[in-house]
């Protein structure tokens, strides 16, 4: 009988290289079972996300919860716009749209809401839909979300950069999916410039996949505090322009504009206003965004052409049009760079003037809605 010391019971020595090769082959060698398992897992996860992530659920989030960083107002505006789709409150509200210039021109959102409510004499909700780099095409998509019951005023920031936008920008935004919003108007504008509209198969998560994939890390931060929605994030965290910056940028400012797009973009704006009129119960206000005096001079003939066109447009459309600089009186010292206002007193002057203008739009509309 063999003893426990018999060679038959000895454990053979481990060959490290062979073991490593076996492990690597098992991990890396294609396997039908492993591949099918991975595909099945991905399909189950995607199906679950399609069920869980819907416009209604996203619209119930804290708007800041969908911000991937403090400057991600695309996420913020998406939630706010989806909230608008469900609005049934008969009281008037204000929708504020525009790019980062419009964003930085306000002093304080809480004070803005409070002052408008005081001006109108009743609580007024404010839906803040301004985003960094917002185009008029984006504005069309955002305003498509207004519920049939919405009544109030819509602010649309206008300026040379928004109305002389290169069409290539729209094609790029469709690929990156800046806003997770279904919008027939946005799709129509895409077709008008031969850009393939965003997909619209009815599965919200899949239709706006790039939007949600770019924010996938938010799932791991669900229990943490959301990003702070600071409308002055740009001017508080990026350096102000120096004289060297001006010397470098002034010769290039006209290259950022496409004057040939002025009339087509005015047509986009005209279609936005037509849809608001068709909706009924809405007053639109076109608010000229601030511009550094030095930028106005650098624009030269383009600025003159723009001013003539936008004034003629507002008169033709019978739209409320306000040149903020005429009333606020911006100076070069008020600006952080070429157009973003950084001086708080200038922001307060802009905000106070805007509140007065909006109060004048909302109050007559409310008076007309009161039955004798």
């Amino acid at each position: 009988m063999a003893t426990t010391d018999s060679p038959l019971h000895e454990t053979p020595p481990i060959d490290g290289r062979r073991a490593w090769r076996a492990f690597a082959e098992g991990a890396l060698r294609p396997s039908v079972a492993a591949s099918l398992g991975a595909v099945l897992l991905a399909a189950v996860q995607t199906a679950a996300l399609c069920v869980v992530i819907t416009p209604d659920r996203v619209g119930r989030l804290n708007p800041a919860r969908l911000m991937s960083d403090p400057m991600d107002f695309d996420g913020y505006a998406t939630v706010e716009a989806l909230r608008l789709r469900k609005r049934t409150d008969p009281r008037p509200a204000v929708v504020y749209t525009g790019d980062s210039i419009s964003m930085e021109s306000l002093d304080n959102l809480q004070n803005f809401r409070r002052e408008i409510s005081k001006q109108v004499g009743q609580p007024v909700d404010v839906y803040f839909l301004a985003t960094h780099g917002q185009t008029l095409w984006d504005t069309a998509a955002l305003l498509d979300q207004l519920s049939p019951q919405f009544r109030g005023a819509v602010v649309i920031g206008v300026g040379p950069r928004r109305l002389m936008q290169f069409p290539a920008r729209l094609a790029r935004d469709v690929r990156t999916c800046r806003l997770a919003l279904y919008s027939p108007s946005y799709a129509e504008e895409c077709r008008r410039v031969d850009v393939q509209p965003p997909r619209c198969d009815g599965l919200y998560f899949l239709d706006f996949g790039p939007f949600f994939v770019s924010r996938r890390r938010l799932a791991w931060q669900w229990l943490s505090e959301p990003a702070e929605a600071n409308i002055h994030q740009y001017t508080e965290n990026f350096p102000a322009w120096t004289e060297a910056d001006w010397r470098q940028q002034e010769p290039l400012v006209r290259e950022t504009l496409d004057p040939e797009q002025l009339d087509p973009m005015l047509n986009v704006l005209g279609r936005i206003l037509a849809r608001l009129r068709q909706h009924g119960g809405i007053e639109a206000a076109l608010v000229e965004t601030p511009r550094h005096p030095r930028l106005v001079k650098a624009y030269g003939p383009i600025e003159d052409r723009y001013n003539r066109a936008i004034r003629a447009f507002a008169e033709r459309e019978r739209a409320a049009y306000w040149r903020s600089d005429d009333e606020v009186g911006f100076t070069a010292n008020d600006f952080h760079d070429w157009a973003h206002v950084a001086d708080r007193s200038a922001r307060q002057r802009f905000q106070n003037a805007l509140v007065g203008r909006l109060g004048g739009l909302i109050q007559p509309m409310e008076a007309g809605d009161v039955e004798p």
Side-chain angles (χ1 to χ4, degrees):
M1 178 179 294
T3 66
T4 54
D5 295 329
S6 170
L8 296 174
H9 292 274
E10 288 182 359
T11 302
I14 297 175
D15 185 336
R17 291 183 179 178
R18 182 180 297 174
W20 173 249
R21 282 198 301 269
F23 173 79
E25 288 177 2
L28 301 177
R29 178 182 293 173
S31 163
V32 174
S35 299
L36 289 176
V39 170
L40 180 61
L41 177 61
V44 170
Q45 291 175 332
T46 302
L49 290 170
C50 289
V51 172
V52 172
I53 299 180
T54 64
D56 287 345
R57 284 196 173 95
V58 171
R60 290 196 293 268
L61 294 174
N62 174 341
R65 181 64 71 183
L66 210 56
M67 298 176 71
S68 59
D69 59 65
M71 291 188 68
D72 180 22
F73 274 85
D74 292 333
Y76 186 98
T78 290
V79 177
E80 284 281 85
L82 291 174
R83 285 178 56 218
L84 266 174
R85 294 175 69 227
K86 297 295 183 180
R87 180 179 173 86
T88 58
D89 194 327
R91 294 177 299 182
V94 170
V95 173
Y96 189 85
T97 71
D99 57 14
S100 60
I101 307 174
S102 297
M103 183 184 299
E104 292 278 357
S105 298
L106 288 180
D107 177 51
N108 182 281
L109 277 182
Q110 287 70 34
N111 290 343
F112 186 47
R113 293 185 179 97
R114 183 167 54 250
E115 291 162 6
I116 291 177
S117 298
K118 182 178 179 180
Q119 180 84 6
V120 175
Q122 61 177 299
V124 176
D125 289 334
V126 173
Y127 292 84
F128 187 78
L129 301 185
T131 62
H132 293 279
Q134 185 177 127
T135 66
L136 283 177
W137 300 303
D138 297 327
T139 303
L142 290 162
L143 296 181
D144 257 3
Q145 312 309 310
L146 296 176
S147 72
Q149 292 77 27
F150 179 86
R151 298 293 181 270
V154 171
V155 176
I156 303 175
V158 295
R161 290 175 72 90
R162 297 198 79 201
L163 285 157
M164 297 186 188
Q165 191 69 250
F166 288 88
R169 170 64 186 275
L170 179 58
R172 188 188 73 190
D173 287 348
V174 169
R175 290 194 302 270
T176 57
C177 195
R178 290 190 59 189
L179 300 167
L181 300 171
Y182 289 115
S183 169
S185 301
Y186 191 83
E188 175 191 346
E189 297 299 343
C190 288
R191 286 189 285 267
R192 285 179 179 272
V193 292
D194 295 325
V195 171
Q196 180 66 34
R199 62 182 292 168
C200 184
D201 296 331
L203 291 174
Y204 185 60
F205 175 74
L206 294 183
D207 287 342
F208 300 101
F211 177 89
F212 292 108
V213 169
S214 67
R215 293 164 175 78
R216 59 186 179 275
R217 68 184 181 88
L218 295 179
W220 302 103
Q221 301 173 354
W222 199 255
L223 299 179
S224 64
E225 289 295 319
E228 181 183 1
N230 178 10
I231 63 174
H232 301 138
Q233 184 72 23
Y234 177 80
T235 54
E236 291 177 2
N237 291 278
F238 288 84
W241 275 21
T242 64
E243 180 61 28
D245 293 318
W246 274 107
R247 285 199 300 269
Q248 179 182 11
Q249 296 298 327
E250 272 185 291
L252 306 176
V253 293
R254 295 187 191 182
E255 297 179 12
T256 64
L257 307 178
D258 184 0
E260 297 306 311
Q261 293 303 312
L262 179 56
D263 288 339
M265 293 306 294
L266 283 172
N267 290 337
V268 174
L269 183 57
R271 288 189 287 271
I272 292 174
L273 296 180
R275 286 188 290 270
L276 294 179
R277 286 194 296 268
Q278 185 177 13
H279 181 287
I282 298 176
E283 293 288 344
L286 307 181
V287 178
E288 196 70 51
T289 53
R291 292 190 285 287
H292 194 290
R294 198 162 170 176
L295 178 69
V296 173
K297 184 177 180 181
Y299 279 161
I302 293 178
E303 176 79 15
D304 296 335
R305 177 181 174 183
Y306 166 79
N307 287 334
R308 291 193 300 270
I310 191 67
R311 286 192 175 99
F313 172 85
E315 184 176 351
R316 184 171 64 251
E317 294 285 334
R318 297 182 180 178
Y321 172 64
W322 175 46
R323 294 187 66 85
S324 57
D325 193 46
D326 294 343
E327 190 167 345
V328 177
F330 293 111
T331 68
N333 293 330
D334 296 332
F335 289 88
H336 184 78
D337 50 20
W338 56 279
H340 298 93
V341 178
D343 182 77
R344 184 168 186 189
S345 64
R347 288 170 173 165
Q348 288 175 333
R349 296 197 307 273
F350 175 90
Q351 183 165 298
N352 292 340
L354 180 59
V355 166
R357 296 276 182 156
L358 292 175
L361 287 179
I362 294 174
Q363 287 176 332
M365 178 184 64
E366 285 298 296
D369 288 344
V370 177
E371 296 182 2

